[in-house]
Amino acid sequence: MRTTHASRVLSSSAVVALAITAFSIAPAFAHGSGSSGETLVRAGLVGSKPAPASPVIAGINPGAAPWVNGTSPVRVRADGRITVQISGLIIPARGMNPIPSVVATLVCGKMVEGSTAPFALSEAGNGSTSDVLSAPRECDDPAVLIQPAANRTLYIASAFGEMEHGADR
């Protein structure tokens, strides 16, 4: 009789442990590899300069005019969430931004992975977006390019990052 009772207790404990493990692991798989807290890119934008001062990235050329900007943070999480806050992205010779809308494009290695929906950029060079991209499992040398929505053959600002592992940083 003791053997039967001990077996039931052991079996019940095993079921509880298995259930706890299953519920703990499920959220990690819901977002693909890594947690939603992993960050692919967390950096400030830098205005582009004509090549060769700014590099060609994934076959995309920097704009023909030099661009400058104020503090403009970019963040891309491993689950694809992207936030961009652009402040003062202008062509200094003009003293303004002539582009009415832009997109933020995620580049991994030498491949364009996706872009946000177009968002407005004021004449003062201010704009923001929060969107979700289809993020790849692996992203070597991640970069975010700010491109005119009407001309995706060039970029006017960029941010580069390294993958951060662990909790939100």
Side-chain angles (χ1 to χ4, degrees):
M1 187 105 177
R2 282 186 174 190
T3 307
T4 305
H5 178 67
S7 296
R8 285 185 191 157
V9 170
L10 183 58
S11 295
S12 297
S13 298
V15 168
V16 170
L18 185 58
I20 290 171
T21 302
F23 286 115
S24 312
I25 293 174
F29 286 114
H31 297 291
S33 73
S35 71
S36 63
E38 285 184 358
T39 299
L40 297 176
V41 177
R42 183 179 217 161
L45 285 172
V46 176
S48 69
K49 307 284 184 255
S54 291
V56 173
I57 301 170
I60 302 170
N61 293 308
W67 289 79
V68 297
N69 63 290
T71 304
S72 299
V74 173
R75 184 169 188 191
V76 181
R77 292 184 175 97
D79 64 1
R81 290 180 291 157
I82 181 172
T83 54
V84 179
Q85 297 285 328
I86 301 174
S87 176
L89 183 57
I90 62 167
I91 297 173
R94 289 187 175 190
M96 59 165 293
N97 160 50
I99 299 172
S101 63
V102 294
V103 297
T105 299
L106 175 63
V107 174
C108 294
K110 296 180 180 181
M111 297 290 299
V112 171
E113 296 294 338
S115 298
T116 64
F119 59 98
L121 197 59
S122 71
E123 282 190 10
N126 302 325
S128 65
T129 190
S130 269
D131 206 341
V132 179
L133 303 173
S134 178
R137 279 194 172 287
E138 297 293 324
C139 187
D140 294 327
D141 303 320
V144 173
L145 306 179
I146 302 302
Q147 299 179 274
N151 182 0
R152 308 235 185 136
T153 63
L154 59 92
Y155 69 94
I156 59 175
S158 60
F160 298 90
E162 296 291 327
M163 175 156 324
E164 296 177 4
H165 297 283
D168 269 339
R169 295 179 193 195

